[in-house]
Amino acid sequence: MKTLENLQKLHKSVLISEVLHAFGLDSNLALSQKRVKIIDATLGLGGHTEELVKRGCDVLGIDEDSEMLELAEKRLYETCPTPEKTFRGSYTLVKG
């Protein structure tokens, strides 16, 4: 059975800073000036979605693999609590 901890040891999200830069989200000033909605169509373990939510984005995460969706949901629940608590951003995960 796949576990989040085991998979995170095998896979590290890459190019996160480059993705943030490409969307113009690499500064707090940029985030304070706009509300950003992003579709992460290759959700996987949710590494990019986690960073986007932490920066205030609303993310729709999509993955075909139900098990990966479950693991991403666990990860995001632990690292990105509800917007009322810590982050301005939010996430919705769907199978697709």
Side-chain angles (χ1 to χ4, degrees), residues 57-76:
C57 299
D58 297 319
V59 181
L60 172 62
I62 305 169
D63 204 291
E64 179 63 28
D65 187 330
S66 297
E67 195 170 0
M68 293 301 279
L69 277 171
E70 186 178 314
L71 292 167
E73 177 71 36
K74 179 181 177 186
R75 174 191 190 146
L76 294 168

Side-chain angles (χ1 to χ4, degrees), residues 4-22:
L4 181 59
E5 294 77 22
N6 288 342
L7 289 172
Q8 284 179 315
K9 289 177 188 174
L10 296 173
H11 174 77
K12 179 176 171 45
S13 297
V14 296
L15 301 174
I16 291 176
S17 60
E18 290 83 355
V19 169
L20 295 172
H21 179 74

Side-chain angles (χ1 to χ4, degrees), residues 39-96:
I39 297 173
D40 181 350
T42 57
L43 179 67
L45 293 176
H48 287 85
T49 292
E50 176 185 340
E51 294 302 320
L52 291 163
V53 170
K54 285 181 176 180
R55 285 164 174 79
C57 299
D58 297 319
V59 181
L60 172 62
I62 305 169
D63 204 291
E64 179 63 28
D65 187 330
S66 297
E67 195 170 0
M68 293 301 279
L69 277 171
E70 186 178 314
L71 292 167
E73 177 71 36
K74 179 181 177 186
R75 174 191 190 146
L76 294 168
Y77 180 80
E78 292 173 0
T79 60
C80 300
T82 60
E84 303 82 42
K85 292 182 182 176
T86 309
F87 305 107
R88 278 190 330 145
S90 66
Y91 61 90
T92 301
L93 306 183
V94 297
K95 184 174 176 22

